[in-house]
Amino acid sequence: MSDGGRPDPLARLDATAEAVAALRDIFAAEEPLDDVLARVAGTAARAIPDADAVSITVLTGDSPRTAAYTDERILELDRSQYESGRGPCIESARHQRPVHVEIGDGTTPWPEFAEAARRSGIRASLSVPLLVGDDQPEIVGSLNVYSYTAPAFDPFDEGLMRLYTASAGQAITNARRWQQSRDTIAHLERALTSRAVIDQAKGALMAVHGCTAEQAFGRLVEESQRRNIKVHDIARELMASLTTNRR
């Protein structure tokens, strides 16, 4: 231990290095973004001694949300900040700087957060901005570390968490790309399926009414507009009715 009661800096550096190394599995993983965020939060809890709980705040427009957490008891702390529009995680995300708070020292400028922290038994928090992207990183939100010990964090821990979040940001970037690729593929699959059903319905209408492909599609569009239902759904209903009538 150091003279100030905190673990030796080298020991703390080792803990963070181990946490960063644990991110390697996340880099290679092909998982949904929220699953990756949960793993990042869990790994971050091991990056700093006295880190009792971790949450990840994500800024989605004007409505921040907690995308991942390691302990349900800290959700009240995050929620108090979202509802009041102020607090360490909001400050860190908006101004892109670390924010360290000791509860009960009389200097906390966010009474809602301080009250929620006292109810939860939290004595200190450290929020660090979370950035993702390569060339021009964008702010995602903040990584928030909570402790039941008042002198839990210091400027050295802030530096360590910056180091950790730099690596975590890359893992999240990879997850976002994978998620976007999956979403694109799913969208294309739905589009292809939709086109196939519409083509089948057009063929059925052409056979029944002796009309052209253009006229058949016009019938589908007209019914879609009349009932305010997507053309794909109209086509699917038509094919389902034809299948039923054959039985």
Side-chain angles (χ1 to χ4, degrees):
M1 299 288 287
S2 65
D3 294 337
R6 300 287 292 128
D8 182 81
L10 287 178
R12 285 190 272 171
L13 182 59
D14 285 343
T16 301
E18 290 176 3
V20 170
L23 290 173
R24 292 173 185 167
D25 291 340
I26 304 178
F27 273 98
E30 293 184 346
E31 298 176 336
L33 181 57
D34 279 2
D35 289 352
V36 168
L37 290 173
R39 293 181 65 184
V40 167
T43 305
R46 304 195 300 270
I48 296 183
D50 296 326
D52 294 308
V54 172
S55 72
I56 294 179
T57 294
V58 172
L59 299 181
T60 52
D62 295 328
S63 303
R65 70 181 180 94
T66 298
Y69 56 90
T70 61
D71 190 329
E72 289 187 355
R73 290 174 293 181
I74 63 173
L75 289 177
E76 182 187 359
L77 276 75
D78 288 355
R79 192 178 303 114
S80 71
Q81 299 174 70
Y82 305 154
E83 292 176 352
S84 65
R86 58 183 182 176
C89 74
I90 302 294
E91 183 81 7
S92 178
R94 287 179 177 169
H95 299 283
Q96 300 184 29
R97 65 180 182 85
V99 178
H100 171 216
V101 178
E102 281 193 25
I103 310 302
D105 63 2
T107 61
T108 305
W110 309 292
E112 302 88 356
F113 169 74
E115 178 60 29
R118 279 190 284 269
R119 287 196 299 268
S120 303
I122 293 297
R123 300 292 304 281
S125 75
L126 173 61
S127 293
V128 181
L130 191 56
L131 302 170
V132 301
D134 298 321
D135 298 330
Q136 294 181 324
E138 62 176 294
I139 184 72
V140 168
S142 62
L143 190 147
N144 316 299
V145 188
Y146 297 104
S147 178
Y148 297 115
T149 305
F153 313 121
D154 57 26
F156 188 75
D157 292 315
E158 293 179 12
L160 292 178
M161 286 311 297
R162 279 177 175 263
L163 174 66
Y164 176 82
T165 55
S167 297
Q170 286 299 312
I172 294 170
T173 297
N174 291 347
R176 291 177 76 185
R177 288 173 179 164
W178 180 82
Q179 183 80 60
Q180 289 167 356
S181 296
R182 286 294 297 260
D183 291 345
T184 298
I185 292 171
H187 176 74
L188 290 173
E189 289 176 342
R190 288 193 297 270
L192 290 172
T193 300
S194 176
R195 177 60 182 271
V197 171
I198 291 173
D199 285 343
Q200 290 173 2
K202 284 165 54 180
L205 289 173
M206 291 166 64
V208 172
H209 299 285
C211 59
T212 66
E214 184 176 352
Q215 290 171 333
F217 185 67
R219 284 175 176 266
L220 294 173
V221 171
E222 182 179 349
E223 184 69 7
S224 169
Q225 294 173 343
R226 186 181 70 80
R227 296 173 56 189
N228 194 28
I229 299 177
K230 293 180 179 179
V231 173
H232 167 259
D233 293 331
I234 295 295
R236 187 170 55 186
E237 285 184 6
L238 174 61
M239 297 309 299
S241 66
L242 292 175
T243 300
T244 301
N245 291 335
R246 290 196 191 104
R247 294 175 182 174

